[in-house]
Amino acid sequence: MQQVAIDYDKVLNEVFEQVTDLTGIGQVADYIPELKVIDPKKFGIHLATVDGQHFGVGDSEQRFSLQSIAKVFSLILAIKFEGGDLWRRVGVEPSGTPFNSLVQLELEKGIPRNPFINSGAIVICDVLCDHFENPKEDLLVAIGELCGNANISYNEKVAQSEKLSSYTNTAHINLMKAHGNINHDIDKVLDVYFHLCSIEMSCRELAQAFLFLACKGVDPVTNRKVLTVGKSQRINALMQTCGFYDEAGEFTFKVGLPGKSGVGGGIIALCPGKYAIAVWSPKLNAKGNSFKGLKALELFTTKSATSIF
Ligand code: DON
């Protein structure tokens, strides 16, 4: 059967128009006070295709707080350093619980279900502390290299704001330390974690940065091999099964792509062999995922018929 080329520009603009006017939905994250200052009406989408096309709408060039989206970058770095040994300290199962839930962690003796819930991402930061001399500084450089973007930065205000309200994450790390799954000083590891989450990028930068995961680990622009095929597949598998916490099933059901959300209101998703797409809208649903972001991606994969299933 002959494949009809998708008019991405048209689809993206239709989706943007349809979703822009949805109102009365969700709340901007406020448990990190500094995230509350963002204009809730911000909305941007950027699509980067593997053959080098770019389509952006709305606030797609404005940087926002990556929060949990950055956990994909830290996981990639940890896998590169540790290979299969990493899975002794963190699992690969969906949690079915909220991103900050402590319930399973006690039952499962300090081994987090997966690297994207908070406890899992904190263990990953502890692993990175084994490999970096100056973890905070080295992490930013390493993520910049991974994304082919040397201009990224931490937002100190956001990192400090999260630190001041970090009671739950402090509980997570203490519980894991008690079970022997944290090697480094607790404050040092949390400082790395808060800074990781505070990294800012725009939808355009994010879509560009994730393209290698749509191309079996190879950056299609530079031909640089970022990850092996096997590791790239496993990162996508984890995004598919665990990228949206207790809404991972719903995202798979409605959108049908591997992806990752953050409480800054961003979502990144990718379609192997075709594209990476980033959406940003700060108002979150009850599960902590961008309301408009989810809606936009559902419409996008429906209209373009690009669900992987
Ligand atoms: O640890 C936290 O609570 C935040 N820094 C990140 C949480 C987050 O983005 C969860 N994802 N939707």
Side-chain angles (χ1 to χ4, degrees), residues 45-50 53-56 60 64 66 69 73 147 149 201-214 219-221 267-270 274-279:
I45 313 178
H46 190 93
L47 176 82
T49 65
V50 299
Q53 300 182 75
H54 284 266
F55 307 95
S60 61
F64 59 91
L66 292 191
I69 295 175
F73 297 136
C147 304
N149 184 342
M201 286 170 100
S202 66
C203 289
R204 184 186 178 102
E205 290 173 311
L206 209 48
Q208 182 71 50
F210 272 75
L211 264 187
F212 70 86
L213 289 172
D219 181 336
V221 179
I267 300 180
I268 180 74
L270 60 98
K274 293 196 169 79
Y275 62 76
I277 184 166
V279 188

Side-chain angles (χ1 to χ4, degrees), residues 92-126:
V92 294
E93 288 298 336
S95 66
T97 55
F99 62 87
N100 54 3
S101 171
L102 276 157
V103 177
Q104 281 169 341
L105 195 59
E106 187 185 8
L107 293 172
E108 294 174 4
K109 302 195 174 9
I111 307 290
R113 270 284 168 112
N114 67 64
F116 294 148
I117 50 175
N118 285 10
S119 50
I122 291 169
V123 165
I124 296 291
C125 287
D126 187 64

Side-chain angles (χ1 to χ4, degrees), residues 160-175:
Q160 293 312 321
S161 179
E162 180 161 7
K163 186 176 182 172
L164 291 173
S165 53
S166 65
Y167 308 108
T168 314
N169 283 328
T170 305
H172 276 106
I173 198 168
N174 273 297
L175 190 54

Side-chain angles (χ1 to χ4, degrees), residues 31-32 67-68 71 99 118 162 169 193 197 245 261-263 288-289:
Y31 76 99
I32 301 174
Q67 293 300 316
S68 290
K71 294 173 182 174
F99 62 87
N118 285 10
E162 180 161 7
N169 283 328
Y193 174 74
C197 293
Y245 314 106
S261 62
V263 292
N289 298 316

Side-chain angles (χ1 to χ4, degrees), residues 141-192:
V141 173
I143 292 179
E145 280 169 5
L146 202 63
C147 304
N149 184 342
N151 288 322
I152 54 167
S153 56
Y154 296 131
N155 181 324
E156 273 305 325
K157 270 190 173 173
V158 171
Q160 293 312 321
S161 179
E162 180 161 7
K163 186 176 182 172
L164 291 173
S165 53
S166 65
Y167 308 108
T168 314
N169 283 328
T170 305
H172 276 106
I173 198 168
N174 273 297
L175 190 54
M176 292 191 288
K177 185 91 177 168
H179 281 287
N181 200 15
I182 292 290
N183 296 332
H184 295 268
D185 173 69
I186 281 174
D187 290 333
K188 174 179 166 179
V189 178
L190 281 182
D191 193 45
V192 173

